[in-house]
């Protein structure tokens, strides 16, 4: 019988952003995005939780070596995002709103392949923006 | 391809309650509910996490505007429950035990319609009573 | 040379209370205490942190045995307050407002002697009411 | 209509362990497990969250009495693991790597039957090793 | 005998900033401030804890009404800083480095007078920038 | 007027230890140290908070560069203690009980000089063993 276990690694990054739709007037942006549309930016301490599933290996007891998982997240997420401006500094976020929803989808595409090569299966990313709000993404799947 | 994202908003409220079955003797209540049956009430700092799923809107990057979601929770949950007595002050909890399990089910019914009108789909409520216990409700669905 | 170390033990209790001055009208109570004056009570998960100072004992490495400190707090604080109503169920809070400020002062007087008998010196109590407010008391001393 | 609710209880334990494969050289262990292979052990404050699902009972408002659930976890998990060495002191972990993945699977088998006898259905265990990593297990099921 | 109690209120704000000395070359800024010197800004979720001391009032049980304290912090700190750029949007931070050290000193000067008018004595501000670093300020006093 | 600010850096390490007095019988050790005397060790996730005071530098806005402070803590505390056995692997803890009280005093002596060379003044170390207990040390000073 398979014993599928889900393992999660947390990393952190701090970034600036604003919510701003170029096609809208300043008034419309203010109306929809409120304080988040401040033209001079604001920022957050983001927490990212990446979950990989698999059957623990008999020799290691591991679903995936957390050292490998941590390195993937640091290379693909923390390095391009930490102490950066999500709107200005991040090539893979160009052409879209810098919302946490859009960010979590883009992060999935950046790490999914590397995790697969390490022998794991990416199943969930949780991205925490503040203690009062976070997003979760299952690669487009809808478990509930 | 659809990119369904799950977004969660946290709000808080502080309330008093007791666990007490009117049809039972004081001894039976004490036996089943222990300290929670204290006739003079006790209380908690409750945390509520409301999760909505959807595809991020292209113009806003949002599944749902958190301002709208927050307002719904404040109007339907925080206002009637914060600094209240769950047994005495809350019409929608009358006629049932004031347990977190029953509370989370009632909250669902209060906010589901309003969230739908805002364009979101309510999929989960997590209600935290203490650092050691919480309940989750998926509208009667059973994802696992 | 003395090596004075400060050691802190955390315990928790959940209680109901209201802020209500018997000598005032309902309107005056509402005006001063706001939601906290709800006549049917509300409640909190309280966290209490008790700090004792001393020089670590050579044989044990301890300022005070945390088992002893925990037992004192459980007997003098948790037992009389947990799942209780601060206004109705707690003899040592009678005749005063059931505020956290008054509560922390009363707790000091209940545990100070027992801690001294265990060989420690009580120097601080921190009492957390919500994630947004807490009180600290140094036995009337004013370190800053 | 059934109103299935999920309720979770948290308990804690502190333990020592090391990751070490007896069939490998010291170099190989060091290469795969890094610092976790230190021969003299290291340790963690583990948090365990046990989730049970069910329909709230009409008389109690409970899915399961948390007093019962807490007692099961304390007897089957906390007592054999708290202030213990996972590699040396725990019979049910013999013959396997002392990883959190393997630990969470073994804990499931220890508590599943007792929870069923108490009228609940165990559906998830979350085991937190540090603020940066945790594992989740659904009894071999794969909700996502 | 006076019973001086210390009471603390927490508020939060999210802001962008960068550490940048105009009199230095880009290389020097990079060398001293590292990632924090990114010209396009980064940001944080700041937590501010404001501590006021006093003797609890007999009629209210309060050192200071937390409603008043919260309003002062919201007006003088949260409103000018939340969802703002500390370098560009905040008049009282002009002409100095936008470090948390400098920020906490400026905040003191903004709220000290208002708190005094409300009958309290400001004694400490703690400003948390990330889970790994925070500053504390006692108005220039040095309690230890 | 001097504007003394206190800045704190947090680091973490995970270690095994036991409380055991070599001069005592097993029974006496068990009686005094309880579960902490388990001969096969147990362990914790330790959090260390190091506080340095000083006047913010005009050119940097810093009391001390947190990069320097972090490096000192990593070199002198995290490297010798992380994933180690406090009783067996740590030269500077030999000949004394491996209690958090003794550990915090030893850590002070290891980092005080390096911090002074970096231009800061070490004034406090807080060492957290579990969510329920921690110690604080002010270099032998007694601020309260």
């Amino acid at each position: 019988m398979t014993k599928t276990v889900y393992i999660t690694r947390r990393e952190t990054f701090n970034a600036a952003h604003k919510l701003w739709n170029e096609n809208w007037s300043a008034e419309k942006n203010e109306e929809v995005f409120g304080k988040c549309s401040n033209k001079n930016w604001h920022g957050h301490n983001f927490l990212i939780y990446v979950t990989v599933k698999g059957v623990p290996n008999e020799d290691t007891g591991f679903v995936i070596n957390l050292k490998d998982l941590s390195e993937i997240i640091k290379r693909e997420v923390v390095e391009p995002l930490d102490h950066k401006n999500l709107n200005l500094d991040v090539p893979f976020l160009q052409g879209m709103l810098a919302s946490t929803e859009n960010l979590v989808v883009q992060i999935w595409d950046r790490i999914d392949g590397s995790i697969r090569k390490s022998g794991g299966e990416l199943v969930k990313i949780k991205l925490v923006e503040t203690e009062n709000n976070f997003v979760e993404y299952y690669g487009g799947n809808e478990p509930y």
Side-chain angles (χ1 to χ4, degrees), chain A:
Chain A
M1 179 194 170
T2 56
K3 299 285 193 183
T4 302
V5 174
Y6 296 68
I7 189 159
T8 298
R9 176 71 188 176
R10 185 189 81 141
E11 301 288 345
T12 68
F13 59 94
N14 309 319
H17 78 148
K18 69 176 167 189
L19 296 178
W20 186 267
N21 185 324
E22 300 276 352
N23 301 319
W24 289 351
S25 66
E27 290 70 26
K28 175 78 171 176
N29 273 290
E30 163 81 25
E31 179 196 326
V32 174
F33 297 120
K35 295 179 299 182
C36 299
S37 68
N38 176 33
K39 74 179 195 306
N40 286 331
W41 327 97
H42 66 282
H44 300 289
N45 304 330
F46 290 92
L47 310 177
I48 182 167
Y49 295 82
V50 174
T51 303
V52 169
K53 84 172 178 185
V55 178
N57 180 288
E58 276 203 22
D59 288 334
T60 61
F62 286 168
V63 166
I64 186 173
N65 195 323
L66 283 177
K67 186 167 152 288
D68 295 334
L69 182 53
S70 175
E71 279 173 7
I72 292 168
I73 306 170
K74 281 179 174 151
R75 186 182 66 230
E76 300 293 342
V77 181
V78 176
E79 198 173 315
L81 298 176
D82 189 34
H83 285 74
K84 294 290 167 59
N85 184 308
L86 300 183
N87 302 65
L88 300 179
D89 295 330
V90 184
F92 62 85
L93 288 174
Q94 297 312 299
M96 68 186 74
L97 270 287
S99 68
T100 48
E101 289 95 325
N102 284 341
L103 179 53
V104 77
V105 171
Q106 295 304 312
I107 289 173
W108 182 283
D109 292 341
R110 287 184 66 79
I111 63 176
D112 186 30
S114 297
I115 289 172
R116 200 177 309 273
K117 277 183 210 149
S118 286
E121 180 186 351
L122 175 63
V123 291
K124 179 178 175 179
I125 302 175
K126 179 179 179 178
L127 185 58
V128 181
E129 193 180 62
T130 75
E131 66 184 14
N132 292 322
N133 63 286
F134 60 83
V135 296
E136 293 163 304
Y137 185 59
Y138 300 86
N141 293 324
E142 304 181 30
Y144 59 89

